[in-house]
Amino acid sequence: MRLSMLILLALLLTACGANSRPTHRSQITLVAPEALPTSSLTDPVLLDGKANYDLYCAHCHGYSGEGQIAESLQVTLDLGMITVPPHDSTGHTWQHPDQLLLRVTREGVVNPLAQYPMPPFAGTLTDEQIMNIYAYIRLWWTDEQRAHQQRVTERWNEIAQAPAATAQP
Ligand code: HEC
């Protein structure tokens, strides 16, 4: 009995490993996002988000959210270090709730494996400016990804408000 459980577990692990990226995108069908209408942006929230994204985030995450650019990417990979992830539909930003996106931007990411570690922005950007950046980043996602991100944001609030809360926004 125990042996068959182990074999089952091994099979499951192998199946997961076959498609191993540190994301959970497998249940989501990806649809090509529409062309980004950056030239015709008029919404003040999106304009503010774009201005601050271009100023504070784009040199690392890419001006179209494509992630670390190809030439420097190869150097980072050759060093065996972590590259700067994309924010567009190919990345995993859309998988995280607003509460965590705000927090990671306020606090930055201390990771010795990252060649270009992300600095904290708490003293530079207000929470509103940070959330405007994410309003802009959302333009790069598919409708399905936007809907998913909204669901996890709502879910995070529900869990955080529950009496036995484990989440810490
Ligand atoms: C100096 C380079 C650098 C800058 C500038 C930078 N980041 Fe990052 N960022 C990184 C790196 C590297 C990671 C990956 C950290 C890890 O996984 O250990 C990261 C991770 C993230 C993540 C988590 C991964 C994801 O996609 O969900 C978010 C969100 C993020 N950055 C948003 C921003 C925003 C918003 C800005 C601008 C306000 C910004 N970053 C500026 C380097 C940078």
Side-chain angles (χ1 to χ4, degrees), residues 52-53 56-61 82-87 91-94 96 101 104-105 109-111 114-119 121 125 130 133-134 137:
N52 282 321
Y53 181 85
Y56 295 109
C57 322
H59 57 285
C60 280
H61 288 281
I82 287 182
T83 58
V84 185
H87 287 320
H92 60 87
T93 318
W94 59 272
H96 309 303
L101 293 177
V104 78
T105 316
V109 185
V110 180
N111 186 347
Q115 193 184 4
Y116 303 105
M118 176 162 155
F121 288 94
L125 295 165
I130 293 174
I133 290 176
Y134 287 105
I137 285 176

Side-chain angles (χ1 to χ4, degrees), residues 15-16 18 78 100 121 150 167:
C16 297
D78 288 347
L100 288 183
F121 288 94
Q150 195 177 337

Side-chain angles (χ1 to χ4, degrees), residues 26 75 122 159:
S26 50
V75 176
I159 293 171

Side-chain angles (χ1 to χ4, degrees), residues 16 19-28 30 85-86 89-96:
C16 297
N19 187 14
S20 65
R21 284 199 65 172
T23 63
H24 319 286
R25 71 169 69 170
S26 50
Q27 295 115 350
I28 311 268
L30 294 180
S89 63
T90 67
H92 60 87
T93 318
W94 59 272
Q95 298 181 357
H96 309 303

